[in-house]
Amino acid sequence: MASLLTYIINGALMGLLYALIALSFVIIYRSARVFNFAQGEIIVVAAFLIWSFFFFYDLQWWLAVPLAIGGSILLGLVIERLILRRLIGEEVFSFVMVTIGLLILLRGVVLVVWGPDMRFFPAILPLAAIRIGPIVIDPALLYGGIFTILLAGLASWFYNRTQLGLEMSAVAEDHQTAMSLGIAVRKSIAISWALSGAFSAIAAIVFLNGKGLTFAAADIGFAALPVVLLAGLESIGGVVVAGLIIGITANLAAYFLDPIFDGGVAQVLPFVIMILILLIRPTGMFGWKTIDRI
Amino acid sequence: MTLPGGVFAETYAQDQALIRTRGQWIWFVGFMLLLVLLPAVASGRVVGIAITIGITLIAVLGLQITMGLAGQVNMGQSAFMGAGAFICGALASKFAIPFWLTIPLAGLGAAVFGAIFGSAALRIRGFYLALTTIAAQYIFTFAMLKLPASWFGRSQGLRLDPASLFSFAFNTDRRMYFLVLLLVVIMTTGAWGLARSRTGRAFIALRDNDNAAEVIGIDVFHYKILAFFIGAFYAGVAGALWAYYVRYVQVDQFTLWLSVWYVGMLIVGGLGSVLGAIIGTVVIRLLMEFVTIAGPALNQYLPQLGSQYVFAGMNILLGGLIILFVLFEPRGLVHRWNILKESYRIWPFPH
């Protein structure tokens, strides 16, 4: 019973980590109308930046972390400025292609700059497991869960209550209409890329705290897909709900089904759930429904 | 498209013909002869590269039909290819079925697998669809590793004997080359025909606007599934050839990364045309070979890369190329080729 409870709680926390990564996807999609396939690579770049500031330049964590966050914000802005800005108004296809190109390019660049070796990511969050009675919790994931809820709340407040956030939501509806209403579309898109970069750096800290880091860590971006799609690409609050659903179901599956299937169910079940729900609601649970008219 | 000067169609058959002039016939026959004679003159390494190009080309042609013609973004082509390879491997190694049956059966099996994921396209569109097809990759890997070991051998994979016909075994690269060449010719001709058929036109209507396509009487459900079915059929055939070529099928050979590369080849070549798929595949494959050769030199300047230089170099090259093509030449290399051909025909007049 206690181990089942441990599975559920850690599943929920893992789901919240996916939700944090999902947030960085959703923030870009909301204003730029782009699903950034390269998000996983941006997380890896952020992680390597932290590693470099820590061990290469020997900085303290309170200096290294803000610098790395600044670095990934800068990366987001550079990508937006050099590539995505030229594609405003193009069709979905171009965006799929260009971010896939970016994914491939960034992976190559990471390999050239940092090499293929395994690095040890610094333990910024505490490492010792938290025990509440018989239940064991990973502290990095616990802090991560708190970050996710705080950041999702903050982002939700920003988009729904502030002038700038509301303008950015208008940009998400339609670029041309927003532009004709005098909203700075380019500025909104740039802000969203910067925000997403910052979120990626935080996700990297939670995900990799005290673990090994290689370029392959970027796969977490694809692992977070079910959460993004379940929530719907536009929904900020929804990612928390979707994260909890996916995380808890995956870990329950790991508890009950893995002994039968000899492992692996927890990785594939989220995708099955995602497809089933998308077949019922094609824009996720909380995505915006658009009506096509001719 | 401008025809060469003085060429006019007088009958419907002439209007439909692909090859019109004597010059075109000479080029066509010469090119086919070159392909047939290649193993006789080229080194073993070149033949090996040609086989890989041929197999990749079949998979990319399938992706061109699903993505370029019908406009359904598909990021799971390598999973469909894997499904074909495993089906072919199982049929050949467990039931000793000859290759001229396993290859089409592998194609059909992969096509059914593809159509199941394609049926999601009826309700799901745009980015949601692109991401849903990624799920095919995860589900394929899971299934191959979890289905009973007596079916697909789980993580050990499957080994199979070379394809053979009446005691003639395709057991060397040179012999395998002719099998691949034959299928490449059949599949390319098929894709060319499809693109100009009623089905091809329905696909294009679907790509341009699926709501409008429905209004003008195109059965959207039927054609969307058909697009995935045909595309995955090509992938399955490519997978079966791959299985006979390396004679060893394993899950790790068919990754999401491979699907991403196939998409990259399409973008560089040009979406929506058969020639684009051919150009993209050949150019990217040759670039990969170039990086493999140039890699050791690169390694002198970047010693920290170790043996990863090929992977890193290819990623930077392909990633950069894709971005540049989307930004500056979204219609791909085939568009440049067409311009070149046109300006040759109307020379000396300015284009």
Side-chain angles (χ1 to χ4, degrees), chain A residues 31-200:
Chain A
S31 48
R33 277 272 173 256
V34 176
F35 184 88
N36 180 20
F37 280 90
Q39 199 67 48
E41 299 297 331
I42 293 179
I43 292 174
V44 166
V45 172
F48 272 111
L49 282 177
I50 294 175
W51 177 84
S52 299
F53 287 130
F54 247 82
F55 296 121
F56 200 74
Y57 298 106
D58 270 330
L59 298 180
Q60 292 295 311
W61 71 268
W62 48 267
L63 207 56
V65 172
L67 276 176
I69 291 180
S72 40
I73 288 178
L74 197 67
L75 176 67
L77 287 175
V78 167
I79 293 171
E80 192 276 327
R81 183 70 226 235
L82 286 185
I83 303 171
L84 274 303
R85 177 164 295 189
R86 295 162 191 272
L87 290 174
I88 291 178
E90 294 278 333
E91 49 188 322
V92 175
F93 235 62
S94 315
F95 290 118
V96 176
M97 307 303 159
V98 91
T99 54
I100 286 177
L102 195 63
L103 159 78
I104 302 176
L105 180 73
L106 278 180
R107 180 163 288 208
V109 171
V110 164
L111 270 173
V112 170
V113 177
W114 285 286
D117 308 325
M118 165 89 86
R119 315 282 191 178
F120 284 99
F121 194 80
I124 295 167
L125 302 169
L127 277 178
I130 299 168
R131 286 169 192 279
I132 305 168
I135 301 160
V136 188
I137 300 171
D138 180 348
L141 284 182
L142 183 65
Y143 283 101
I146 296 168
F147 286 160
T148 307
I149 292 172
L150 281 180
L151 288 174
L154 211 66
S156 183
W157 170 81
F158 171 70
Y159 276 104
N160 294 323
R161 292 281 179 272
T162 64
Q163 176 71 28
L164 183 62
L166 284 168
E167 285 181 3
M168 286 169 72
S169 297
V171 169
E173 281 277 3
D174 187 77
H175 284 173
Q176 287 186 348
T177 314
M179 220 180 261
S180 67
L181 290 172
I183 293 169
V185 171
R186 288 179 177 175
K187 192 181 83 183
S188 301
I189 295 177
I191 293 172
S192 67
W193 275 88
L195 269 180
S196 165
F199 280 34
S200 302

Side-chain angles (χ1 to χ4, degrees), chain B residues 36-102:
Chain B
V36 171
L37 293 177
L38 181 90
V41 288
S43 70
R45 190 173 152 69
V46 174
V47 176
I49 294 171
I51 292 175
T52 349
I53 289 180
I55 295 174
T56 313
L57 176 58
I58 295 177
V60 175
L61 275 175
L63 193 61
Q64 183 72 287
I65 291 168
T66 323
M67 248 173 93
L69 275 186
Q72 308 299 310
V73 181
N74 175 11
M75 303 271 294
Q77 189 74 348
S78 127
F80 301 153
M81 190 176 166
F86 270 100
I87 290 167
C88 169
L91 289 176
S93 66
K94 311 234 187 274
F95 302 101
I97 296 175
F99 78 93
W100 47 269
L101 266 178
T102 56

Side-chain angles (χ1 to χ4, degrees), chain A residues 244-291:
Chain A
L244 288 173
I245 292 176
I246 292 278
I248 293 173
T249 335
N251 260 26
L252 281 180
Y255 185 79
F256 289 110
L257 296 177
D258 270 4
I260 304 170
F261 284 97
D262 195 19
V265 184
Q267 279 85 51
V268 79
L269 192 69
F271 286 94
V272 178
I273 300 173
M274 172 190 102
I275 293 184
L276 292 180
I277 293 197
L278 282 182
L279 285 175
I280 302 165
R281 286 186 61 96
T283 51
M285 291 190 302
F286 309 99
W288 293 347
K289 267 195 250 174
T290 51
I291 298 167

Side-chain angles (χ1 to χ4, degrees), chain B:
Chain B
M1 182 56 59
T2 322
L3 279 171
V7 178
F8 304 103
E10 286 170 0
T11 63
Y12 188 62
Q14 274 177 5
D15 208 28
Q16 289 285 295
L18 282 169
I19 302 172
R20 293 289 184 77
T21 63
R22 184 177 295 161
Q24 285 172 338
W25 271 111
I26 293 171
W27 277 108
F28 174 70
V29 172
F31 183 65
M32 292 311 287
L33 270 180
L34 189 78
L35 283 180
V36 171
L37 293 177
L38 181 90
V41 288
S43 70
R45 190 173 152 69
V46 174
V47 176
I49 294 171
I51 292 175
T52 349
I53 289 180
I55 295 174
T56 313
L57 176 58
I58 295 177
V60 175
L61 275 175
L63 193 61
Q64 183 72 287
I65 291 168
T66 323
M67 248 173 93
L69 275 186
Q72 308 299 310
V73 181
N74 175 11
M75 303 271 294
Q77 189 74 348
S78 127
F80 301 153
M81 190 176 166
F86 270 100
I87 290 167
C88 169
L91 289 176
S93 66
K94 311 234 187 274
F95 302 101
I97 296 175
F99 78 93
W100 47 269
L101 266 178
T102 56
I103 291 178
L105 284 177
L108 280 179
V112 171
F113 182 59
I116 291 171
F117 280 93
S119 59
L122 183 67
R123 285 180 59 76
I124 305 169
R125 284 182 192 158
F127 280 110
Y128 286 93
L129 179 63
L131 301 170
T132 306
T133 54
I134 292 178
Q137 199 79 42
Y138 283 86
I139 290 168
F140 160 74
T141 310
F142 179 78
M144 289 304 137
L145 290 176
K146 298 298 167 192
L147 287 171
S150 57
W151 295 12
F152 298 115
R154 292 202 171 167
S155 58
Q156 265 84 47
L158 295 166
R159 290 190 176 281
L160 58 162
D161 295 329
S164 64
L165 190 67
F166 307 120
S167 76
F168 177 87
F170 292 93
N171 52 3
T172 64
D173 270 16
R174 275 167 218 279
R175 289 176 173 187
M176 193 64 205
Y177 173 85
F178 287 106
L179 184 60
V180 174
L181 179 64
L182 176 72
L183 278 162
V184 166
V185 170
I186 294 173
M187 301 306 266
T188 313
T189 316
W192 232 302
L194 182 82
R196 354 191 275 146
S197 70
R198 182 188 175 85
T199 312
R201 289 194 304 276
F203 282 167
I204 291 168
L206 210 63
R207 173 188 73 192
D208 291 345
N209 186 333
D210 54 356
N211 288 320
E214 182 139 37
V215 171
I216 59 170
I218 286 166
D219 185 346
V220 171
F221 180 66
H222 171 78
Y223 282 107
K224 274 188 176 172
I225 291 187
L226 191 64
F228 272 92
F229 185 88
I230 299 175
F233 180 83
Y234 274 74
V237 170
L241 280 176
W242 175 258
Y244 279 122
Y245 177 47
V246 294
R247 283 195 250 143
Y248 176 57
V249 189
Q250 216 226 345
V251 169
D252 295 348
Q253 293 164 343
F254 307 101
T255 56
L256 180 61
W257 204 236
L258 194 62
S259 298
V260 172
W261 275 86
Y262 289 160
V263 175
M265 289 175 188
L266 273 196
I267 304 164
V268 172
L271 277 164
S273 89
V274 174
L275 190 61
I278 299 176
I279 295 177
T281 312
V282 173
V283 167
I284 295 293
R285 271 280 164 201
L286 290 182
L287 275 178
M288 283 164 87
E289 292 302 324
F290 168 74
V291 174
T292 317
I293 297 164
L298 185 76
N299 199 26
Q300 285 182 335
Y301 298 101
L302 295 163
Q304 74 267 36
L305 278 182
S307 58
Q308 288 280 341
Y309 53 81
V310 176
F311 187 63
M314 279 190 302
N315 281 329
I316 292 181
L317 198 68
L318 181 69
L321 271 179
I322 292 177
I323 294 174
L324 291 178
F325 267 91
V326 174
L327 290 183
F328 300 111
E329 186 51 284
R331 280 176 286 189
L333 280 174
V334 69
H335 182 60
R336 287 282 140 204
W337 167 251
N338 284 337
I339 291 176
L340 195 76
K341 206 161 61 176
E342 196 100 332
S343 35
Y344 167 77
R345 278 179 183 163
I346 62 174
W347 191 85
F349 303 107
H351 187 55

